[in-house]
Amino acid sequence: MQFLISIIYLFTLTIASKTILLTNDDSWALTNIRATYRDLVDAGYDVLLVAPVSQRSGWAGKFDVPESKNLLNDGEFSYVKKGDPSWGHEDDDKNIWYFNGTPSSCVAFAIDYVLPNYFNNKSIDLTIGGPNEGPNLSPGFFTASGTMSAVYTSIYRGIPAISFSGSTLNNSFFQDSLNNNSKDAANIYSKKVVELTDIIFNNTDTLPNMLGLNVNFPLIGDSSSDDCYDPTWQLTRIMGKGVFTPNMQYNETTELMDWTYQYIDDIQKDCENGDCNLPSEYTVFWADNCTSTISVFSIDYDANLSQSNKAKKLMKKALT
Ligand SMILES: *[C@@H]1O[C@H](CO)[C@@H](O)[C@H](O)[C@H]1NC(C)=O
Ligand SMILES: *[C@@H]1O[C@H](CO)[C@@H](O)[C@H](O)[C@H]1NC(C)=O
Ligand SMILES: *[C@@H]1O[C@H](CO)[C@@H](O)[C@H](O)[C@H]1NC(C)=O
Ligand SMILES: *[C@@H]1O[C@H](CO)[C@@H](O)[C@H](O)[C@H]1NC(C)=O
Ligand SMILES: *[C@@H]1O[C@H](CO)[C@@H](O)[C@H](O)[C@H]1NC(C)=O
Ligand SMILES: *[C@@H]1O[C@H](CO)[C@@H](O)[C@H](O)[C@H]1NC(C)=O
Ligand SMILES: *[C@@H]1O[C@H](CO)[C@@H](O)[C@H](O)[C@H]1NC(C)=O
């Protein structure tokens, strides 16, 4: 009995000692990220939240730093105001930070400034991006999304990372909307983040080097077709048959270009890497059947050997 208790205690300690860097692109004042912070802390994780002071959706991998010591504009929901410092933390919680930069910059700010200066160089076991307001599916979003960029920036720095995105939108201020209602999308998504994080940390191995996960949660509750409150998980591919990408259209009324997303049925159907039998994440998202997609991606951007050999053959003259 004593032995068993010790084992359970040790196990709890292992979970409790895991450190998570939590970030997003919708800003540190969003309900989604605050609900996730609360639930990861409740689950025993040591969480450092560092996120942009204002909305940085669609900023992709751009890296920037504040141009002045103080903010030139109000932050998101005017939670932090013009004239306040360009970075800082909650008065009552030094684990919750904002930074006037893109999501990629926030990750670097956390690793290169916050951890050495405030946390004695503590190391991060996992970076979590999100849950984003809106899905991040297909190659078009992979490259354009700020949340995705935070995740791949972390992976470049040797820290495994997972991006979470929610299909049900409620771009709300945590001080107005954070609640304990178990049917709210923010709370369902945060519970699911904790569930997958627990499952991963229950294994002795962490995610392999250079790999990340892209998770998309389905529509929740009233906004879903079947009152979805506890989505299941399914492995998917980012590429594959059925993806969507940004495109544009000339608008005769405004005489300007409109941008939109175009569904591509099978242009990207060729499969060069990964498990070619998996459905695309977009296909599963579109099925609206209370399923969360998990795509495993690599930041080893070099082409598959058989593909790169084809390119090499074409350039033979240049390479001899
Ligand atoms: C943190 O690590 C860096 C680089 O390894 C080192 O230069 C710095 O002195 C360390 N800081 C603390 C507080 O240990
Ligand atoms: C969405 O946010 C508003 C406040 O902006 C809040 O009143 C409402 O309860 C939220 N709805 C859901 C479904 O979370
Ligand atoms: C949610 O529940 C916790 C304790 O379970 C409580 O401290 C907190 O005030 C509650 N939050 C809201 C918004 O009701
Ligand atoms: C993690 O492992 C413990 C002990 O085996 C188990 O009680 C718990 O349910 C597991 N959690 C998950 C999310 O798999
Ligand atoms: C062109 O732009 C106007 C104004 O934004 C918009 O109302 C209209 O729907 C657009 N037309 C098309 C064909 O998308
Ligand atoms: C590269 O792609 C080919 C198909 O073009 C496939 O047969 C091969 O297994 C792939 N190699 C790797 C390393 O994934
Ligand atoms: C949801 O739809 C996808 C795509 O059609 C399918 O692969 C998957 O099995 C479905 N999942 C459930 C739980 O019905």
Side-chain angles (χ1 to χ4, degrees):
M1 193 60 192
Q2 187 68 48
F3 174 74
L4 198 67
I5 289 169
S6 310
I7 291 282
I8 289 169
Y9 179 68
L10 232 133
F11 181 78
T12 314
L13 268 186
T14 315
I15 290 271
S17 66
K18 295 292 181 190
T19 302
I20 291 173
L21 171 61
L22 178 62
T23 188
N24 72 1
D25 68 10
D26 296 309
S27 100
W28 77 318
L30 260 284
T31 307
N32 268 3
I33 198 170
R34 295 301 180 112
T36 304
Y37 177 81
R38 175 198 63 200
D39 291 345
L40 284 169
V41 169
D42 282 354
Y45 294 103
D46 192 357
V47 188
L48 173 64
L49 187 164
V50 181
V53 72
S54 53
Q55 180 56 255
R56 293 298 195 116
S57 285
W59 280 68
K62 181 172 169 59
F63 197 86
D64 64 2
V65 292
E67 286 170 10
S68 57
K69 285 187 201 163
N70 297 88
L71 296 174
L72 304 177
N73 299 102
D74 284 3
E76 201 67 16
F77 305 114
S78 297
Y79 184 46
V80 176
K81 302 232 166 17
K82 179 179 171 178
D84 283 340
S86 289
W87 57 83
H89 58 77
E90 288 283 9
D91 291 338
D92 61 356
D93 191 342
K94 76 174 175 74
N95 285 62
I96 303 185
W97 287 72
Y98 70 88
F99 180 69
N100 187 20
T102 57
S104 293
S105 318
C106 286
V107 168
F109 172 74
I111 297 172
D112 299 330
Y113 180 78
V114 180
L115 289 167
N117 288 299
Y118 293 84
F119 293 91
N120 209 16
N121 271 350
K122 180 166 23 188
S123 64
I124 301 285
D125 297 297
L126 178 74
T127 295
I128 290 177
N132 189 61
E133 292 283 346
N136 278 318
L137 303 148
S138 289
F141 275 143
F142 188 92
T143 49
S145 159
T147 301
M148 293 307 305
S149 85
V151 162
Y152 57 68
T153 300
S154 171
I155 304 170
Y156 292 148
R157 297 291 299 261
I159 302 167
I162 310 177
S163 158
F164 291 93
S165 302
S167 302
T168 293
L169 288 163
N170 194 20
N171 202 53
S172 62
F173 182 28
F174 83 96
Q175 284 195 330
D176 294 337
S177 301
L178 186 63
N179 61 43
N180 292 331
N181 179 352
S182 62
K183 292 196 158 178
D184 265 20
N187 295 333
I188 290 167
Y189 291 155
S190 70
K191 290 281 182 310
K192 285 287 159 182
V193 170
V194 172
E195 183 182 307
L196 192 64
T197 306
D198 280 352
I199 288 170
I200 287 170
F201 281 132
N202 248 7
N203 288 296
T204 44
D205 296 330
T206 180
L207 287 171
N209 198 21
M210 297 213 283
L211 286 195
L213 305 180
N214 184 34
V215 175
N216 276 279
F217 294 127
L219 291 168
I220 289 297
D222 295 346
S223 59
S224 68
S225 62
D226 52 0
D227 282 354
C228 174
Y229 293 106
D230 187 16
T232 52
W233 306 99
Q234 183 175 355
L235 261 188
T236 48
R237 290 168 53 72
I238 292 177
M239 299 290 284
K241 190 172 155 55
V243 299
F244 66 156
T245 62
N247 72 347
M248 62 178 83
Q249 226 169 2
Y250 180 68
N251 186 315
E252 292 187 355
T253 315
T254 59
E255 298 178 9
L256 291 168
M257 297 293 168
D258 283 338
W259 80 275
T260 168
Y261 272 92
Q262 183 195 2
Y263 175 72
I264 302 179
D265 187 35
D266 63 359
I267 295 173
Q268 310 283 5
K269 70 178 185 304
D270 291 350
C271 178
E272 301 298 342
N273 291 313
D275 182 349
C276 301
N277 294 316
L278 295 175
S280 71
E281 50 193 21
Y282 185 66
T283 308
V284 177
F285 163 79
W286 205 241
D288 187 17
N289 61 4
C290 204
T291 304
S292 303
T293 62
I294 307 178
S295 298
V296 184
F297 66 87
S298 166
I299 59 151
D300 182 353
Y301 292 139
D302 289 277
N304 164 304
L305 185 60
S306 82
Q307 291 292 91
S308 76
N309 276 340
K310 286 179 194 164
K312 189 173 153 191
K313 211 169 149 189
L314 289 174
M315 296 184 288
K316 211 168 152 190
K317 273 200 168 151
L319 298 171
T320 49

